Amino acid sequence: MPAIGSPIERVLAAASSPIRRTLELALEGREISCSDGERLFLAENEDLTALITLADEVRRRRVGERVSFVTVRNINFTNVCYMACQFCNFGIRKDAKGAELLSLEEVANRAEQAWLRGGTEVCIQGGLHPDLPADYYFRLVQAVKERVPGMHVHAFSPFEIWYGVNKTRMPLRDYLDALKDAGLGSMPGTAAEILDTEIRLQLTRNKLSADEWERIIRAAHGLGIRSTATIMYGHIDGPAHWAAHIDRVRTIQKDTGGFTEFVPLGFVHEQTRLFRDNAQTRPGPTATENIRMHAVARLMLAGFIDNIQVSWVKLGPQTARAMLACGVNDLGGTLMNESISRAAGARHGQEITPAEMVRIIRSAGRVPVQRNTLYGIVEDFSDHDPEPMAPLVERVVGANPVAFLDRPAAPTVAGQ
């Protein structure tokens, strides 16, 4: 228990009794129930201050003061998709203006270019193009590994795996095993959205059910293919859905140990059909909901998934830095290119260079480290800086992701 008179003891003393009891459980390293998690998602005023403080303390105890990032290039090999998910503005029809399907050579070229810029990972995802050959995903991975053998290939959401299985008519485990043999290193745990049938019916018509998402993830983990875990929040969902989603991810992790990190993805609404056509859809999460999401994830997943990532693409670099005080220990990837969030209306750019990542982390009083996909340390920047480099894609005038560091300090998270 915290020492009498310590900052933690003071914020706990000011919190309401139900919140205080839950946070004391977290401080003792005990599991927080789904119902208690839902209550934390409603924390306000002194309860919110206590939630933030305890999430930061549990972060410190579990992973220390390091904040990590990975040097990665996103490669979205096609923007053609016929799934028509309501929250997505990325996919278009194959005969539409701007439709794109990269050649295998072009994907390999982009991977090689990333490697020469210090990249250790390519994150490969695309739309579900109706004309993809059955063996396309295998060939895509092989093309990258043949060109850049040392590059880690992080590729194919469970939705894409579902699509590949249906294309090839192979059993799921055999399909995943073949991808692993081709060079697949890990998978993004996207397409999770919210693991709730009622919500998924409105988001995607439940084309990939929550149960099917889980089945594919468990199969991958069972073959040693690790994955991220994600949640997309701030649309037609709410605290009960969020807590249940995190609880389900935690249950999977207890059984498989295959998740590397948990990544909250705030809904970007501007260009989506979901926001345009559904009057019940909110314009993304509020600032306070972003804080709660990262803090509650830290507490509910402590000891099971200890890497909590913030998406600077979704929230912006300045808000991402603020989340470092709310239980977060990872800033995600440098990206180099980003298409999916931009298509939905995100305005936070496509790349933060390693030197800029380090500057953001240091400004939060934390220790910057570059990691690989599976959280091995590539380089510790506690006493030096990365080599400066220009962004891969030229930025528009004024689009400096670290410009906020040169402005007067914003209010602290607890004071927002």
Side-chain angles (χ1 to χ4, degrees):
M1 293 301 295
I4 295 175
S6 69
I8 293 174
E9 195 274 339
R10 288 196 296 270
V11 297
L12 285 173
S16 64
S17 294
I19 295 295
R20 182 170 62 251
R21 285 194 296 269
T22 298
L23 295 179
E24 286 172 345
L25 287 176
L27 202 58
E28 294 167 6
R30 296 166 65 182
E31 188 172 311
I32 293 175
S33 71
C34 185
S35 58
D36 283 342
E38 182 179 350
R39 187 179 297 112
L40 291 177
F41 273 119
L42 300 171
E44 295 180 339
N45 303 319
E46 289 84 1
D47 286 348
L48 180 60
T49 300
L51 169 62
I52 294 167
T53 303
L54 267 293
D56 194 48
E57 175 63 15
V58 170
R59 181 275 307 162
R60 185 187 66 79
R61 294 184 182 187
R62 296 300 311 180
V63 297
E65 299 301 326
R66 286 176 164 180
V67 173
S68 53
F69 66 92
V70 61
T71 304
V72 57
R73 183 172 192 174
N74 276 18
I75 303 177
N76 301 124
F77 58 89
T78 183
N79 60 352
V80 174
C81 187
Y82 280 52
M83 292 297 104
C85 296
Q86 298 299 298
F87 61 87
C88 178
N89 197 48
F90 175 69
I92 60 178
R93 300 182 68 84
K94 66 180 182 179
D95 56 354
K97 182 180 179 180
E100 183 176 57
L101 174 61
L102 301 183
S103 68
L104 299 180
E105 182 179 14
E106 175 59 21
V107 171
N109 288 343
R110 295 189 184 192
E112 183 177 24
Q113 189 177 32
W115 180 262
L116 295 174
R117 288 173 58 82
T120 61
E121 172 195 320
V122 284
C123 178
I124 302 176
Q125 297 183 89
L128 305 188
H129 194 302
D131 297 338
L132 289 184
D135 64 348
Y136 184 81
Y137 293 163
F138 303 126
R139 291 163 50 202
L140 198 59
V141 175
Q142 289 165 345
V144 171
K145 296 298 284 186
E146 287 172 3
R147 181 72 65 84
V148 194
M151 183 68 83
H152 183 100
V153 179
H154 180 70
F156 312 133
S157 73
F159 212 168
E160 289 170 281
I161 297 298
W162 170 88
Y163 190 56
V165 165
N166 280 274
K167 279 272 188 179
T168 61
R169 301 182 182 273
M170 292 172 66
L172 172 61
R173 285 181 62 87
D174 291 350
Y175 184 79
L176 287 167
D177 214 17
L179 278 174
K180 185 178 179 182
D181 287 345
L184 180 68
S186 58
M187 287 169 47
T190 47
E193 284 50 277
I194 293 287
L195 297 173
D196 177 274
T197 298
E198 179 185 350
I199 298 298
R200 294 178 80 82
L201 282 169
Q202 298 178 70
L203 296 179
T204 68
R205 302 192 186 97
N206 210 27
K207 293 165 190 164
L208 180 74
S209 70
D211 288 346
E212 187 68 4
W213 183 92
E214 179 174 338
R215 185 176 80 91
I216 291 168
I217 285 291
R218 284 181 176 272
H221 291 181
L223 291 168
I225 303 170
R226 302 191 70 187
S227 77
T228 62
T230 65
I231 183 172
M232 187 187 71
Y233 64 102
H235 37 85
I236 53 174
D237 51 347
H241 305 114
W242 303 337
H245 180 105
I246 295 173
D247 184 59
R248 187 165 184 172
V249 165
R250 180 172 62 185
T251 297
I252 297 169
Q253 184 72 343
K254 289 178 183 178
D255 294 340
T256 71
F259 291 125
T260 54
E261 72 235 61
F262 184 74
V263 191
L265 302 171
F267 173 57
V268 178
H269 71 285
E270 283 91 337
Q271 302 298 325
T272 66
R273 289 183 296 276
L274 184 65
F275 185 72
R276 186 170 61 243
D277 299 340
N278 187 330
Q280 304 305 311
T281 304
R282 296 187 297 126
T286 66
T288 302
E289 286 170 340
N290 288 326
I291 292 167
R292 292 179 187 136
M293 176 59 70
H294 292 83
V296 174
R298 166 60 67 189
L299 298 183
M300 287 187 70
L301 295 172
F304 300 105
I305 304 175
D306 279 329
N307 296 307
I308 306 299
Q309 183 182 122
V310 61
S311 172
W312 64 262
V313 175
K314 303 290 188 182
L315 302 184
Q318 185 170 7
T319 300
R321 184 185 64 167
M323 294 303 105
L324 296 180
C326 303
V328 167
N329 71 302
D330 187 75
L331 276 183
T334 55
L335 300 189
M336 302 188 198
N337 300 103
E338 200 290 319
S339 301
I340 296 174
S341 294
R342 284 190 300 121
R347 303 185 182 94
H348 301 300
Q350 300 190 65
E351 180 176 13
I352 296 180
T353 67
E356 291 166 339
M357 283 283 194
V358 165
R359 190 178 172 202
I360 291 169
I361 294 164
R362 282 216 186 101
S363 74
R366 305 278 283 282
V367 179
V369 295
Q370 180 186 347
R371 63 168 174 88
N372 62 23
T373 309
L374 302 181
Y375 282 80
I377 301 302
V378 174
E379 189 165 0
D380 186 323
F381 291 108
S382 56
D383 60 358
H384 66 288
D385 293 330
E387 289 293 326
M389 66 173 67
L392 182 63
V393 178
E394 186 176 357
R395 293 168 179 161
V396 298
V397 175
N400 178 358
V402 294
F404 72 94
L405 296 176
D406 299 320
R407 298 195 291 264
T412 62
V413 169
Q416 288 182 344

